[in-house]
Structure formats: C-alpha cells, structure tokens
Amino acid sequence: MSVKAKLADVLLELPSRSELVYRLARRIVNRRQGENDGDITRNGELRLLRAVLPNARVVFDVGANVGDWTEAALAIQPKLQIHCFEPSPATFKVLASHRFPADVHLNPVGLGAEAGMVDFFVFGEAMGANSLYNRQGTDAVVQRKETVSITTLDDYAVTRNVAHIDFVKVDVEGHEVAVIKGARRLLDQGRIGMLQFEYGGSYIDARVLLKDIYDLVSAARARYHFFKIMPHGLQPMPEYRQMFENFQYANFLIVRDGIEVPR
C-alpha cells in the first residue's frame, strides 16, 4: 500500500465509525446518484412532467394507486386524456372517489405481460408498496391477498382505440418488466413517445433486472433512448452497465428516437 493510500485509510477510519457522518454521506451519495428519494418535487419527476406534459395529450398512469400522480399531471395540463390502472379493489374505491374530469378513464385492472387473474399482496390499505409480489427481507407484512385482473397495454390500446400514447408512467412495485413486455407491439411501432418506470428493491422479489428492460426495449423495431431521472435533469444511459444493478429506488425514462428530450 502506498503512503498516500495509508494516509487516506487513517483519515477515513474515525469518520467512518460515526453514525452521523455515515448518514450524511449516504444522503450526499443518494442525491448525487438520484436514488432513494420518492418526493417528486425533489427527485426530478415533477421537473420532467412540467417539461413534457404541456405538449402531451394522451397519458397512461399505470399503478395509479389513489390518484396522486394523476392529480399532479392534471395540475400541469388540465386537458390531458389520462388512462389510470389500479387493480386493487380497495385502493380503486379511493381512486374512484376523486372528481376527475371526464377525460380521465379509471380502470380497475392492472397491466402485465399477459391477461389473467393473479394474486395481489396487500401490506396496508392503499399503500404504494402493495404488489403482485410478496416482499421478502423488508419490514412489510402481508395483511391479506386479493385476486385481481390483469390485461396488457397492447390489448387495452386496441380495445380503446388508442393510436398513440405521449407519456406512460409505470410504478407497479416490481411488475415493470411485465408491463413493458405487454407493450411490445406499441414499442415496435413507435406508438409510445416516453415511458417512465420505477426501479428498486421490488425487482429482487420479481426476480428481474434493469437489464431485462434494456433488452426488451433494444429489441423493439422503433429506436428508444434510455435516461435516468435526476434531481436536476436527465442523465443519458445509452448502454447497460452491471454497476446500474444496485436495487436502489430510482426512476428511468425511455424516449422514442426523434422526440426532443427536455433539458
């Protein structure tokens, strides 16, 4: 070990034992990496929406929960046509209690790779962490299971005669890969302009990787570009790297080739 390395090791030893220093360092790293911050006013999500939604018309809110994201989108662009998907019957009741405009279409189903009926794990009433997967190694405790209906984004677009989707937000606690699999036809045809998806620890429960989404999108006939949503803008991520696979909460964006990317 060099003298410089030894000196660095000595200087790091004391602060590395401090819980306060550790917590501060983690916050700095999280902010630097754009990770582990679910507040859309800080993590770059709201900044992105304010840049893209004024020029959008058709938006999909996949994993709508109680409607907070849809409310935020409508506050930016009240004329949006929004298609909301929430499979949990109990949570859907809360979502349906909102007085949304007529152009907000509420669907008591989830989206996935194929249509069917599946188990849905409820960890708390209307919790955002409720999932199609039983979370392991967390503090979440299953309160009950519900049987919910799933369709695909491709099939829904055909049924509802949706020709083009400007923006898709996918927040489905580990089921993101399945949702994107169910949109292969739309992606092939370039009929999705932008798609935001969540990444995090729930991918462990689903046994999927960020790489799976890279592979799916790269296989589409239409070309899409990858970005990570950061607090102060979009970070281009043109190719997959194993170092991305840290299972820390973050949001990513794919953008169809030819669409201007907000700065």
Side-chain angles (χ1 to χ4, degrees):
M1 183 182 291
S2 68
V3 174
K4 184 181 292 186
K6 288 181 180 179
L7 179 60
D9 192 52
V10 170
L11 292 175
L12 286 172
E13 179 61 27
L14 184 60
S16 69
R17 297 183 182 187
S18 167
E19 182 68 18
L20 178 61
V21 172
Y22 171 76
R23 290 179 179 275
L24 177 60
R26 282 296 302 269
R27 292 189 66 176
I28 292 171
V29 170
N30 284 337
R31 181 61 61 91
R32 170 76 176 179
Q33 296 294 105
E35 294 171 347
N36 298 317
D37 187 353
D39 187 335
I40 69 171
T41 65
R42 292 194 308 258
N43 66 14
E45 287 185 75
L46 187 59
R47 183 181 188 276
L48 173 66
L49 296 183
R50 287 171 172 164
V52 303
L53 291 188
N55 297 317
R57 173 63 182 128
V58 179
V59 170
F60 276 38
D61 183 356
V62 184
N65 195 250
V66 298
D68 292 342
W69 189 92
T70 289
E71 282 191 331
L74 289 171
I76 295 168
Q77 172 52 284
K79 296 181 180 180
L80 288 174
Q81 178 188 114
I82 304 183
H83 299 257
C84 297
F85 301 84
E86 176 50 55
S88 167
T91 305
F92 185 81
K93 287 182 180 179
V94 181
L95 176 65
S97 69
H98 287 273
R99 295 183 177 179
F100 288 128
D103 233 3
V104 175
H105 307 281
L106 306 181
N107 299 282
V109 299
L111 295 181
E114 57 186 20
M117 304 296 293
V118 297
D119 286 337
F120 186 82
F121 296 89
V122 177
F123 304 105
E125 295 304 318
M127 278 184 61
N130 294 341
S131 173
L132 291 169
Y133 305 95
N134 186 3
R135 305 298 306 276
Q136 301 291 321
T138 73
D139 294 331
V141 177
V142 177
Q143 292 186 2
R144 68 176 188 276
K145 287 195 297 185
E146 299 174 336
T147 300
V148 302
S149 177
I150 299 292
T151 188
T152 71
L153 205 157
D154 281 338
D155 288 347
Y156 180 88
V158 170
T159 302
R160 300 299 290 267
N161 196 30
V162 177
H164 177 81
I165 308 170
D166 295 298
F167 192 93
V168 181
K169 164 263 191 181
V170 185
D171 177 0
V172 287
E173 301 303 310
H175 208 54
E176 285 79 4
V177 172
V179 170
I180 294 171
K181 282 183 179 178
R184 280 174 289 196
R185 187 166 59 245
L186 289 167
L187 290 170
D188 273 344
Q189 297 169 358
R191 291 165 54 194
I192 295 176
M194 297 184 181
L195 187 150
Q196 174 189 329
F197 65 92
E198 184 181 280
Y199 170 83
S202 56
Y203 280 45
I204 298 173
D205 304 287
R207 304 295 195 271
V208 296
L209 298 169
L210 182 62
K211 183 179 184 295
D212 295 318
I213 297 180
Y214 266 86
D215 291 345
L216 281 168
V217 175
S218 298
R221 288 197 298 269
R223 186 182 180 194
Y224 284 84
H225 304 279
F226 269 82
F227 299 88
K228 188 175 186 179
I229 300 173
M230 304 291 283
H232 304 295
L234 297 178
Q235 176 181 315
M237 305 184 75
E239 61 180 24
Y240 173 80
R241 303 289 294 174
Q242 287 189 2
M243 63 183 294
F244 300 161
E245 231 48 272
N246 61 7
F247 300 105
Q248 302 300 299
Y249 171 85
N251 281 276
F252 293 84
L253 182 73
I254 61 171
V255 181
R256 196 189 70 228
D257 192 33
I259 292 181
E260 184 177 357
V261 178
R263 299 298 178 185

